């Protein structure tokens, strides 16, 4: 049944569910509101069950279950379309689009590798980088995350999506982790000796899933339910996150390269940890032209 589903109808359903509005979905998709209603009705008729309640607009139980499948289905379709387009594309010209997660984009080695012209840098949440490359929205991607030394980052299972390690299996960079404290914090005096995560389980943290590391990842790595959030930051600017920590709004975990130059903050190394900050280059197929040259620049710079 799902294999026969019209992807246009499915995309309309996902958009209406996300916006909780038929009219807003119509504006975003460029349809009339009547067309959106017809799409939803056709999909419900095809599946034989209501998918959306109308007042208020919200997924039904069946609609919620369909949403669990819809994102990956549409992503794979977009990835397949982009993959086929690459087979017939003209040789790449002089411009390249690089999608990078906030912490990856803040890495000085990666910034230094960018050529002076003809690069568009899109800073997006880390979880969106592989999809941007797979669907052709970006020529290359740089993703980051917490990992054990030499362990690759997990990437979605999409056609032809690969993590290019530039001839090795170690990605681009692996940087030590630090905890950023205000300069007057008592634990800031541990800058030379370092701290263990065990020492910080009961501290208050900044939850910054886009700009930093999700606290749930820290909990999973430590195997505890600590690391309580004092403040949530939903932005993607790493400097703002560091400034919040330096001002005493909560602790944050940052790679040493990102924490070193924060005014008013002290970066204390994370000691005895099996975690590093890892960045990896994400490609789809073999980069050529300007994209291939950027891969070579990255390999030399980092």
């Amino acid at each position: 049944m799902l294999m026969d589903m019209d992807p246009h109808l499915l995309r309309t359903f996902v958009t209406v569910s996300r916006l909780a509005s038929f009219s807003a979905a119509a504006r975003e998709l460029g349809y009339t509101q009547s067309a959106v209603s017809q799409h939803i009705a056709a999909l419900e008729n095809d599946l034989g069950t209501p998918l959306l309640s109308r007042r208020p607009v919200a997924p039904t139980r069946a609609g919620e279950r369909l949403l669990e499948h819809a994102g990956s289905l549409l992503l794979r379709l977009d990835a397949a379309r982009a993959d086929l387009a690459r087979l017939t594309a003209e040789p790449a010209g002089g411009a390249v689009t690089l999608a990078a997660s906030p912490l990856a984009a803040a890495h000085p080695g990666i910034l230094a590798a960018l050529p002076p012209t003809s690069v568009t840098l899109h800073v997006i949440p880390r979880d969106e980088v592989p999809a941007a490359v797979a669907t052709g929205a970006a020529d290359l991607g740089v993703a980051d995350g917490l990992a054990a030394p030499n362990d690759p980052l997990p990437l979605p299972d999409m056609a032809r999506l690969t993590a290019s390690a530039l001839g090795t299996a170690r990605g681009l960079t692996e940087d030590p982790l630090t905890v950023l404290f205000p300069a007057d914090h008592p634990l800031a005096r541990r800058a030379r000796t370092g701290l263990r995560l065990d020492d910080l389980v009961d501290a208050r943290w900044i939850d910054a899933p886009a700009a930093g590391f999700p606290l749930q990842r820290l909990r999973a790595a430590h195997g505890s339910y600590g690391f309580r959030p004092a403040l949530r930051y939903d932005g993607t600017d790493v400097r703002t996150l560091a400034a919040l920590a330096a001002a005493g709004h909560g602790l944050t975990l940052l790679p040493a390269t990102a924490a070193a130059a924060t005014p008013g903050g002290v970066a204390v190394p994370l000691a005895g940890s099996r975690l590093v900050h890892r960045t990896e280059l994400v490609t789809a197929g073999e980069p050529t032209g300007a994209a291939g040259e950027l891969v070579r620049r990255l390999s030399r710079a980092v």
Side-chain angles (χ1 to χ4, degrees), residues 71-301:
S72 58
L73 288 171
L74 291 173
L75 182 57
R76 287 196 68 90
L77 285 172
D78 290 341
R81 187 178 292 111
D83 196 26
L84 293 177
R86 293 184 191 101
L87 294 177
T88 57
E90 295 294 324
V96 60
T97 299
L98 175 68
S101 53
L103 282 175
H107 194 286
I110 291 172
L111 292 176
L114 300 180
T117 59
S118 302
V119 172
T120 299
L121 176 65
H122 287 310
V123 180
I124 59 178
R126 62 172 53 82
D127 292 342
E128 297 177 15
V129 171
V133 176
T135 59
D139 300 298
L140 301 171
V142 182
D144 81 295
L146 297 177
N150 301 324
D151 278 1
L153 298 175
L155 292 174
D157 178 22
M158 285 182 276
R160 289 176 59 82
L161 187 64
T162 61
S164 171
L166 307 174
T168 74
R170 301 191 179 189
L172 291 176
T173 66
E174 287 188 353
D175 296 306
L177 295 168
T178 63
V179 182
L180 193 61
F181 289 91
D184 59 356
H185 195 286
L187 293 178
R189 289 175 289 191
R190 302 281 292 274
R192 291 187 177 180
T193 58
L195 285 163
R196 301 175 66 88
L197 274 180
D198 290 347
D199 302 323
L200 303 169
V201 171
D202 295 327
R204 291 301 184 102
W205 291 74
I206 299 173
D207 192 13
F213 301 112
L215 290 186
Q216 62 183 14
R217 179 70 180 89
L218 270 183
R219 297 186 190 107
H222 189 262
S224 75
Y225 293 98
F227 308 102
R228 296 170 296 169
L231 178 147
R232 181 178 174 91
Y233 173 56
D234 283 328
T236 59
D237 186 74
V238 177
R239 291 178 299 178
T240 299
L241 171 60
L244 287 169
H249 293 288
L251 305 183
T252 189
L253 190 67
L254 290 173
T257 51
T262 303
V266 175
V268 177
L270 195 62
S273 174
R274 282 284 299 162
L275 293 175
V276 295
H277 173 246
R278 182 178 173 90
T279 62
E280 288 186 354
L281 182 67
V282 181
T283 69
E286 186 65 30
T288 59
E293 176 57 27
L294 181 53
V295 168
R296 289 187 285 273
R297 290 176 68 98
L298 282 167
S299 67
R300 293 193 296 266

Side-chain angles (χ1 to χ4, degrees), residues 12-13 16 22 36-45 52 54:
T12 299
F13 165 69
V16 172
F22 281 70
V36 169
S37 297
Q38 291 172 12
H39 283 192
I40 299 301
L43 187 60
E44 291 178 326
N45 183 66
L52 289 168
R54 268 45 176 189

